[in-house]
Amino acid sequence: MKKCNFAAVILQRQTTTNKFLKNTMKHLYFIVLLLLGTLFSSCSSDEPISIIDDDAFAENGAGTQPTVFYTPAQPDDRYFPAEDTSTELAKLDLSTALYRCVYKTGDDVGVTLNEGMATEDELEYLAGEVEVITEGATTEKQKLDKIFNWVASNIKYSYDVTEHSAYYTFNEQKGICQGYANLVNVMCHIAGIPCFNVNGYATSSWLGHAWNCAKADGRWYVVDATHNRMHLMSGTSSYKDYYFPVQVDVTLFEDDNFKYTWHNSNLCITEVKQGNDILTVPFSINKLRISSFNPQASLPENIKSVYLGSNITHLGDGSEFGVFNNGKSVEAIHVINTNSTFYSENGVVYRRNGDEVQLNIVPPSMRWCELSDKLTTLEKNAIYHHKSLETLVIPSSVKTIEYWAVEDAPNLKWIYVPEVCTYWGQDSNYNPIESSEPTSVNFVGVHPDCQIIKGSVPTSIRRVTL
């Protein structure tokens, strides 16, 4: 493990009047050229152009200041989504919220069996069995009832199984809830009944649970063969206190730009199909409010900035932030000020915590990061696995920097830290200690020549923004 080259650099600007005039004329000439170039360019950027005075930096033998940086991106209010009167699903119980979504889906939802559920040979074998099980049924609901009753009566619950495929569950006639759900899913598709899996929780155990939604004769049903329960999905009062759906395995809605589904207990955008340099995340779909933006597939590479409205209350859990993991070209994420869950400043996203904030996402393509002065603690893994970051500015409001606050940021070369701050560290026996100076475990996996600079970014750096 490589450690930072810690250095406290004191910058003093000592320039004469003649040198100032000389540099001013030089930059004015460069600005004029940039303005002329801009007039003849049709390109636009969410991040303004910045110019700095290279001669303003001083050296003290311990290292040099960065010579290139970008003015932090600021939001343009025109790109935030317009609010509307869509149904706020978060105010409903989870079962009712999912039903509201499923009720508005198209006829193609649940029609196609997901890839990997069964091989062609397994489907051919199970098709013969389903034909026998559904013999005599003339309607979809009759077929669904026969499949449900057979699985609920013949499959025995067993904690010992590690295989949950439909084929295994049918042949061995044992499984856990996921095996039950997979078997119902495959058998329904063989019988021509739209069906998909649901994962979440049930009050029977408050452990993870799996069940199905199936559509028979135009009506959706909640099908739980494990617990021998079937409910008409529209009758939410009969099951809403029993089932708590977290996610489904199908796309519920799709348009030219996005795919939407029920994910992490929210109506969520899980895929961005296309977009411009600036991506506005929509407020609603089919009069249902979108509350989560957590892409599970790579964003188009041309997307540089993302705009989130007051509707977004979920961006992922733990390290699973889709816009970070899958938005490799994103340089700034802006959140509207009326959002009660998230806050953004300089293109960085925070989770609100009263008057303070907790660092949430530093966009994956951001090179120069200036943190908010609402931040008081830089927590463990606040910045993790960031390959683009070169300069990090930690404001004086931060009083505590925990161990591994920054980890795996191999291009991070300059870190500005407060003049006074408490750092968590470890002694030789790995016991926690507190220090007034940065320790070897606060910034880990950074550039081998990384410099720690006490104090704020020097005012001798002039920013000229066009």
Side-chain angles (χ1 to χ4, degrees), residues 80-129:
F80 287 116
E83 296 190 4
D84 57 37
T85 58
S86 54
T87 300
E88 190 173 354
L89 298 172
K91 291 184 176 181
L92 306 175
D93 62 88
L94 294 181
S95 285
T96 301
L98 177 59
Y99 166 67
R100 294 288 184 91
C101 294
V102 174
Y103 174 75
K104 293 192 175 185
T105 58
D107 293 335
D108 58 340
V109 170
V111 170
T112 304
L113 184 65
N114 287 342
E115 185 177 353
M117 290 290 287
T119 66
E120 291 186 8
D121 289 342
E122 290 171 350
L123 287 174
E124 183 178 356
Y125 171 78
L126 290 173
E129 301 296 333

Side-chain angles (χ1 to χ4, degrees), residues 265-389:
S265 303
N266 289 267
L267 179 55
C268 176
I269 292 176
T270 53
E271 184 174 338
V272 180
K273 297 161 63 177
Q274 62 178 2
N276 299 318
D277 289 353
I278 297 173
L279 176 69
T280 297
V281 174
F283 197 83
S284 65
I285 177 72
N286 292 337
K287 297 184 179 181
L288 299 172
R289 192 164 304 179
I290 300 160
S291 52
S292 176
F293 181 64
N294 192 5
Q296 303 299 294
S298 296
L299 272 66
E301 293 184 357
N302 60 319
I303 295 175
K304 305 299 181 185
S305 301
V306 175
Y307 280 75
L308 305 175
S310 61
N311 55 311
I312 299 300
T313 60
H314 190 83
L315 292 170
D317 292 316
S319 60
E320 190 232 343
F321 296 114
V323 67
F324 179 83
N325 294 331
N326 296 306
K328 299 304 182 184
S329 61
V330 175
E331 300 171 357
I333 304 173
H334 303 296
V335 182
I336 199 167
N337 287 334
T338 54
N339 189 303
S340 60
T341 303
F342 296 108
Y343 169 80
S344 71
E345 190 175 326
N346 297 330
V348 178
V349 180
Y350 305 82
R351 179 172 286 276
R352 293 184 184 273
N353 182 21
D355 294 332
E356 299 180 2
V357 296
Q358 178 184 19
L359 184 59
N360 218 200
I361 301 174
V362 176
S365 252
M366 180 174 280
R367 295 170 60 191
W368 177 287
C369 175
E370 294 189 30
L371 298 179
S372 170
D373 60 9
K374 294 179 181 293
L375 191 69
T376 59
T377 300
L378 197 62
E379 299 178 334
K380 179 181 179 181
N381 289 147
I383 299 176
Y384 174 73
H385 199 55
H386 203 298
K387 305 302 183 182
S388 300
L389 194 60

Side-chain angles (χ1 to χ4, degrees), residues 41-277:
S41 172
S42 61
C43 298
S44 63
S45 174
D46 186 52
E47 191 170 32
I49 301 171
S50 302
I51 303 171
I52 60 174
D53 186 352
D54 294 343
D55 296 329
F57 295 108
E59 298 186 22
N60 71 348
T64 60
Q65 298 283 350
T67 57
V68 176
F69 73 94
Y70 297 95
T71 299
Q74 301 305 313
D76 184 333
D77 290 347
R78 295 176 299 171
Y79 296 110
F80 287 116
E83 296 190 4
D84 57 37
T85 58
S86 54
T87 300
E88 190 173 354
L89 298 172
K91 291 184 176 181
L92 306 175
D93 62 88
L94 294 181
S95 285
T96 301
L98 177 59
Y99 166 67
R100 294 288 184 91
C101 294
V102 174
Y103 174 75
K104 293 192 175 185
T105 58
D107 293 335
D108 58 340
V109 170
V111 170
T112 304
L113 184 65
N114 287 342
E115 185 177 353
M117 290 290 287
T119 66
E120 291 186 8
D121 289 342
E122 290 171 350
L123 287 174
E124 183 178 356
Y125 171 78
L126 290 173
E129 301 296 333
V130 170
E131 184 177 0
V132 174
I133 291 170
T134 59
E135 185 178 1
T138 58
T139 67
E140 290 179 340
K141 181 58 167 61
Q142 290 173 351
K143 292 178 182 179
L144 176 60
D145 286 341
K146 285 179 173 289
I147 291 171
F148 166 73
N149 289 327
W150 190 94
V151 175
S153 300
N154 290 277
I155 306 303
K156 305 304 179 185
Y157 197 93
S158 174
Y159 290 101
D160 298 330
V161 301
T162 57
E163 170 65 54
H164 312 306
S165 72
Y167 182 77
Y168 176 90
T169 304
F170 181 89
N171 274 334
E172 299 298 325
Q173 295 196 6
K174 64 179 180 180
I176 62 171
C177 57
Q178 192 65 60
Y180 281 78
N182 289 342
L183 180 56
V184 169
N185 195 332
V186 171
M187 294 177 81
C188 279
H189 278 94
I190 290 172
I193 299 171
C195 184
F196 60 83
N197 284 4
V198 184
N199 286 90
Y201 299 93
T203 56
S204 58
S205 64
W206 284 112
L207 298 175
H209 187 50
W211 64 97
N212 304 93
C213 287
K215 187 179 183 181
D217 299 326
R219 307 178 79 178
W220 282 97
Y221 294 85
V222 174
V223 182
D224 182 5
T226 307
H227 294 152
N228 196 20
R229 297 175 66 123
M230 183 188 293
H231 303 268
L232 187 63
M233 198 172 189
S234 59
T236 55
S237 60
S238 66
Y239 65 90
K240 66 182 179 63
D241 296 327
Y242 191 84
Y243 296 107
F244 300 84
V246 173
Q247 60 193 50
V248 300
D249 67 348
V250 292
T251 296
L252 296 177
F253 308 112
E254 184 172 357
D255 55 29
D256 291 341
N257 299 317
F258 305 99
K259 288 184 178 181
Y260 313 79
T261 193
W262 189 255
H263 185 73
N264 288 132
S265 303
N266 289 267
L267 179 55
C268 176
I269 292 176
T270 53
E271 184 174 338
V272 180
K273 297 161 63 177
Q274 62 178 2
N276 299 318
D277 289 353

